[in-house]
Amino acid sequence: AQDATIRFWDVNEHLPVVGRVLKFEDQSGIFSVAFHSSGRLLACGFGDGQLQLISFPALKPLPGGRRRAGTERLAALCFLEDDMLAVGSWDQTVYIFSSSSSSKSPLRLLKGNTSSVTHMQCSAEGTYLMTNSKDGQVLYFNVLSGERVTQQTVKDCSWRDWSCPMAWHTMGMWAAQRHFGITGIKGCR
C-alpha cells in the first residue's frame, strides 16, 4: 500500500489475519510483492526503487536483503528460478538479482522497454520473461543471457502464471467499445 504496509489475509475466511501487518517507516509506499515458490521468502518493491527481502512466516528482513534497483517505483516482481528475482522498474529496466546471496548488485539488466515496466511473468521453466510497459509494449527476454528474444521464440512456451494483461494470448480480450486505457488494466489472471 502507499502507506508502506503489507496486510495478510486469510483466503478461506476472507478476513485479515490479526497481528500480520508489516509496516515500513522509512519507505515511500509498497507497490509490488512476490512470494518465492518455497513460501519462505517475500520480496517487496518500494516507490523509491528499493527492494527488501523478508523471511516468511517470521516477517523479518533478511541480512543483506535491502537492495536498490534504480530510483523509481518497482511495479513488478517475479521469482524466476530458485535464486533469481526479476524486478521491473518504472525506469524502463528489469533488474535480475540473486535472492540467495547478499550481493547488492544485480546479476544483469534487461533493457529495451520504451516506458515504465508495469507487469512481468516468467515461463514455466524460468528461462524467459515477458514484460508489459505503460505504453503497451510487450517484450520477451532470455533471463539467463539477458538478450531480448522474439515472440516467435516463446510462442509455444508455457507460462508459470498469467499476470501480463497485454500479450498475444489476450489480444481481443479488451473490447474497444469499453475504452480501456492501457494503464487502466491492472492484471489478467
Side-chain angles (χ1 to χ4, degrees), residues 79-146:
F79 281 98
L80 301 166
E81 294 182 346
D82 287 341
D83 69 341
M84 287 199 303
L85 173 66
V87 179
S89 172
W90 274 20
D91 70 2
Q92 304 175 12
T93 304
V94 176
Y95 299 80
I96 306 294
F97 286 97
S98 169
S99 60
S100 62
S101 82
S102 60
S103 172
K104 299 205 183 275
S105 299
L107 300 171
R108 66 190 59 82
L109 304 177
L110 308 181
K111 293 185 171 269
N113 287 285
T114 55
S115 186
S116 303
V117 177
T118 57
H119 299 83
M120 296 185 308
Q121 65 190 38
C122 71
S123 61
E125 78 286 348
T127 304
Y128 298 107
L129 185 75
M130 178 192 307
T131 65
N132 286 178
S133 58
K134 282 174 109 177
D135 61 357
Q137 188 178 43
V138 179
L139 294 182
Y140 303 93
F141 296 91
N142 179 316
V143 295
L144 302 176
S145 69

Side-chain angles (χ1 to χ4, degrees), residues 142-158:
N142 179 316
V143 295
L144 302 176
S145 69
E147 299 294 319
R148 275 181 55 191
V149 297
T150 64
Q151 182 175 319
Q152 187 67 23
T153 304
V154 297
K155 73 178 177 77
D156 295 323
C157 213
S158 294

Side-chain angles (χ1 to χ4, degrees), residues 44-58:
C44 305
F46 296 93
D48 63 358
Q50 289 195 66
L51 169 72
Q52 178 68 57
L53 297 176
I54 298 168
S55 66
F56 191 85

Side-chain angles (χ1 to χ4, degrees), residues 66-78:
R66 178 71 57 98
R67 290 129 195 231
R68 179 159 293 282
T71 58
E72 296 189 43
R73 179 179 295 182
L74 303 182
L77 300 173
C78 180

